[in-house]
């Protein structure tokens, strides 16, 4: 589980919390920045295969697919049951709930990185050829797992924010 300051976790956590009414808005930096995101399980298997290799070599483990922050955000919110509609550009770009028109995502220049790399994507050809490694989990599955986990946490937060009282018979006197 990634920390909440990693952009993928920040996005899925916010999408889950917003879908349950625990959070109002998500603030992001450069929506056009593209990254190659993969699943930890795939990378751990790749590292294991590297360790089994006969001689020490450098390998790249990557999906080879880049996705923008905007597209990752759209997919995460969709997985949480919210369809986003984007408008504006640059620091004025916003994501609104396409059903209600409510503003859910804003760009905040404070989140722009001074040494931002716009595109990070890996080429795992060598790992595939020499190790027989390739990723098995696609971005949709990764986002689905992250949203599922973050929804569970957001439900707990919502429960605590509501006073933390349970209404079932075993806890009715608390």
């Amino acid at each position: 589980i990634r920390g909440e300051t990693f952009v993928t976790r920040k996005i899925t956590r916010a999408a889950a919390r917003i879908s349950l009414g625990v959070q109002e808005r998500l603030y992001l930096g450069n929506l056009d920045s593209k990254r190659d995101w993969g699943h930890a399980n795939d990378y751990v298997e790749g590292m294991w295969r590297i360790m089994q290799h006969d001689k020490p070599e450098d390998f790249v483990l990557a999906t080879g697919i880049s996705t923008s922050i905007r597209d990752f955000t759209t997919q995460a919110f969709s997985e949480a049951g919210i369809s986003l509609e984007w408008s504006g550009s640059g620091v004025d770009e916003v994501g609104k709930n396409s059903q209600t028109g409510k503003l859910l995502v804003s760009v905040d220049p404070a989140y722009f990185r001074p040494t931002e790399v716009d595109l990070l994507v890996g080429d795992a050809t060598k790992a595939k050829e020499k190790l027989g490694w390739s990723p098995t989990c696609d971005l949709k599955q990764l986002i689905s797992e992250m949203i599922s986990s973050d929804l569970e946490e957001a439900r707990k937060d919502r429960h605590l924010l509501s006073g933390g009282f349970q209404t079932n018979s075993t806890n009715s006197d608390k």
Side-chain angles (χ1 to χ4, degrees):
I1 294 180
R2 286 229 129 151
E4 296 168 11
T5 58
F6 284 88
V7 72
T8 51
R9 180 73 198 291
K10 179 179 176 178
I11 293 167
T12 60
R13 184 174 186 268
R17 292 170 60 83
I18 288 169
S19 75
L20 295 175
V22 179
Q23 182 173 329
E24 291 290 317
R25 192 178 311 173
L26 167 63
Y27 295 92
L28 294 169
N30 183 1
L31 297 174
D32 293 319
S33 185
K34 292 184 176 183
R35 297 292 182 262
D36 181 339
W37 286 300
H39 199 288
N41 289 345
D42 286 334
Y43 296 131
V44 169
E45 180 189 339
M47 289 183 277
W48 180 84
R49 288 179 184 231
I50 290 168
M51 296 299 294
Q52 307 313 304
H53 192 60
D54 293 337
K55 64 177 188 158
E57 290 186 59
D58 291 329
F59 290 93
V60 173
L61 303 176
T63 70
I65 301 168
S66 65
T67 305
S68 71
I69 301 289
R70 181 186 303 97
D71 290 342
F72 188 99
T73 304
T74 300
Q75 290 180 53
F77 273 80
S78 178
E79 185 67 28
I82 299 170
S83 175
L84 286 180
E85 185 174 277
W86 296 96
S87 62
S89 63
V91 296
D92 296 321
E93 187 167 3
V94 294
K96 295 181 181 179
N97 183 322
S98 66
Q99 302 292 316
T100 66
K102 184 176 179 181
L103 179 62
L104 302 178
V105 183
S106 294
V107 173
D108 184 340
Y111 292 112
F112 279 78
R113 294 180 174 176
T115 57
E116 180 72 57
V117 177
D118 288 335
L119 175 64
L120 289 177
V121 63
D123 180 359
T125 302
K126 181 179 172 183
K128 184 175 185 175
E129 291 172 355
K130 290 192 170 194
L131 305 173
W133 179 88
S134 59
T136 59
C137 180
D138 65 12
L139 187 62
K140 183 174 176 35
Q141 182 181 346
L142 173 66
I143 291 172
S144 178
E145 287 181 23
M146 291 177 74
I147 288 290
S148 177
S149 175
D150 286 330
L151 279 169
E152 187 176 322
E153 290 300 315
R155 285 186 190 100
K156 293 174 187 175
D157 291 345
R158 183 178 63 183
H159 179 70
L160 291 172
L161 289 170
S162 71
F165 295 105
Q166 293 184 0
T167 57
N168 64 32
S169 60
T170 61
N171 293 310
S172 60
D173 58 340
K174 292 184 179 178

